[in-house]
Amino acid sequence: MASTTRKTWFIAFIVSLGGFLYGFDAAIISGVMNYVTPEFDLSTSEQGWVPSSPLFAAMFAMLISGRASDILGRKKMLLIIAFTYALSALLSAYATGFHMLWIARMIGGIAFGAALVIAPVYIAEVSSAEARGKLVSIQQLNIVLGFFAAFLSNYYINNAFTSESTSFLTNANVWRFMLAVELLPALLYFILLFFVPRSPRWLFIQERDAEAVEVLTNIHGTQKGTLAASTIVKSLSEARKNKNKIQFKGLFKKPLRFVLTVGIGLGILQQITGINAVYYYATSIFKQTGIGTDAAFASGILLSLTTVLFTFVAIFLIDKMGRRPLLLVGVGGIAISMLLCGYGFQKATYAITEEKLMTLEPSIQEKLQYLTSKEYNNDIDFKNEMLTALGSQVYTNNEGAILEAATRMNPTLVLMGILGFIACFAFSLGPVMWVMLSELFPNRYRGLAIGFVGFLNGLSSWLVTQAFPWELVTWGNAITFYIYGVIALVGFFVFLKILPETKGKSLEELEKDLIKP
């Protein structure tokens, strides 16, 4: 039994490495933007498009990848995904301008959009009922390990650049090295995928029964594998009595209406509480507190470390405590944390004194001399004044230093709010959504249904990421975070009413319980 368990964990970890690459890509761009924005003189909309363009591609990849994996197979799709990740990393590092950069990143978006859908489906299909929650949660663990690795990589590369300990790093190429690092885990992912089997449930659907039984017995042992095989065959035999082909409109028929509603709710709430805004713009958010650019990079490491630790909490508790309690506690904590961030930014004031002015570059000192007697009660007025005095490119390139000189606030409140948000997300919406999506839908519709919910998840993610720079410019830091907090609060009460519990049951048992004729 121990060897079987190790084998299942090994398979789940490899398959979910696509999540690691997603997390790495999401976090790496938060550091890259500090250098790309002034180099390419990006507008506000372009600053939103570079981080969000992969998400735009991902939502369409999510829509079709589930069904594509039904046709081609889970393993073959994962190999295509790994190759696409590597191609995106290479092209991103060699980007010669704004357009090449976002196109290269969109290629990566296709990869991680498909990976986020197919990996939990595959893992659920090779897992036993009692271990499924923690095994599917490995995808979330890999995502947050990717975040941690990226923030760590960014920190060391940025530190090497700012400390002038290396002669080859410049403003023009430091971000290229940040992006190029992703090529290494992408190639490793591609190689390791050759060591995982095909999905047994997919093999049964393709009527390759002998091969499917062999996979199940190899993973779970003869007794458990044979029992699982008979259960799957019986479920598929009953499903095949219905001669109708799988069609998209079938998702909206009465039997699937409840599980689809829950799935859509989970898919949208996971993103509209602001998770990708925090991860994609983490360095920028910490800079807004006035702690400085170097400290902002270091805070990113603390953020990602928190995510890793609380993802382990989720893996430990999800099959013991259950999906519903974890999600409700986490969403409640997300609401409180985001409201705390909003309060912290609301109390901030901004003023550049004569003393603080001297800490800035001489060319900036001259242009800001006339502002030393002014104080601003909100970040919007202050930043508009800076943009008028310095121009967008100069201000963006020196934003960390200017905010460090001018901001008067309690940065600990925002740091506590961000870390609280990340911790609560890591043990609730992060892993629970993907676990429940892999459980809610019947075998025949699983790929199609998760693809559709994944599309809505990706659309929400793209909208949040694209809109975040605009929200900060238009509404300011405080209102932006207050909005995320209110959304999470509404989500808590909705799921308090409708969220089912799915722990401890086989996929076939859940199908009988949740799919009502």
Side-chain angles (χ1 to χ4, degrees), residues 301-341:
I301 296 176
L302 180 60
L303 179 150
S304 56
L305 182 60
T306 301
T307 312
V308 172
L309 293 176
F310 280 89
T311 300
F312 277 112
V313 171
I315 291 173
F316 180 75
L317 293 178
I318 196 164
D319 286 317
K320 295 183 177 181
M321 182 183 291
R323 289 55 159 153
R324 179 181 164 90
L326 276 182
L327 189 130
L328 291 176
V329 171
V331 172
I334 286 170
I336 294 170
S337 299
M338 293 308 249
L339 293 173
L340 180 62
C341 286

Side-chain angles (χ1 to χ4, degrees), residues 112-132:
F112 74 65
L116 290 180
V117 168
I118 296 170
V121 171
Y122 176 96
I123 295 169
E125 291 178 346
V126 301
S127 305
S128 60
E130 60 269 19
R132 188 175 57 244

Side-chain angles (χ1 to χ4, degrees), residues 48-66:
W49 184 240
V50 171
S52 72
S53 55
L55 301 173
F56 184 79
M59 65 182 178
F60 294 104
M62 286 177 168
L63 184 63
I64 64 173
S65 59

Side-chain angles (χ1 to χ4, degrees), residues 158 185 213 220 269 323 325 331 346 384 412 427 447-448 467 471:
N158 181 73
V213 172
H220 301 294
L269 186 67
R323 289 55 159 153
V331 172
Q346 183 184 347
N384 285 339
T412 305
F427 71 74
L448 181 64
E471 289 171 347

Side-chain angles (χ1 to χ4, degrees), residues 189-316:
Y189 183 38
F190 182 80
I191 293 168
L192 289 177
L193 281 171
F194 287 98
F195 294 92
V196 304
R198 291 181 173 89
S199 162
R201 280 177 172 82
W202 180 81
L203 289 170
F204 275 123
I205 291 172
Q206 302 301 311
E207 301 183 355
R208 295 161 62 175
D209 293 13
E211 192 176 346
V213 172
E214 183 181 352
V215 171
L216 283 170
T217 55
N218 188 37
I219 294 173
H220 301 294
T222 303
Q223 185 178 355
K224 279 197 169 187
T226 304
L227 179 61
S230 63
T231 304
I232 296 167
V233 168
K234 182 179 178 181
S235 174
L236 290 175
S237 178
E238 292 174 359
R240 284 168 183 154
K241 291 177 183 178
N242 182 356
K243 299 295 183 181
N244 295 330
K245 292 182 178 180
I246 300 173
Q247 294 181 330
F248 182 73
K249 64 181 180 181
L251 289 177
F252 302 95
K253 291 182 179 178
K254 187 178 179 181
L256 295 179
R257 198 169 294 161
F258 171 70
V259 292
L260 187 64
T261 300
V262 174
I264 289 173
L266 285 168
I268 293 176
L269 186 67
Q270 191 204 49
Q271 294 300 326
I272 62 173
T273 49
I275 183 62
N276 275 346
V278 171
Y279 271 126
Y280 278 73
Y281 300 101
T283 306
S284 297
I285 292 171
F286 288 126
K287 277 167 59 178
Q288 301 301 311
T289 66
I291 63 175
T293 299
D294 290 342
F297 272 91
S299 297
I301 296 176
L302 180 60
L303 179 150
S304 56
L305 182 60
T306 301
T307 312
V308 172
L309 293 176
F310 280 89
T311 300
F312 277 112
V313 171
I315 291 173
F316 180 75

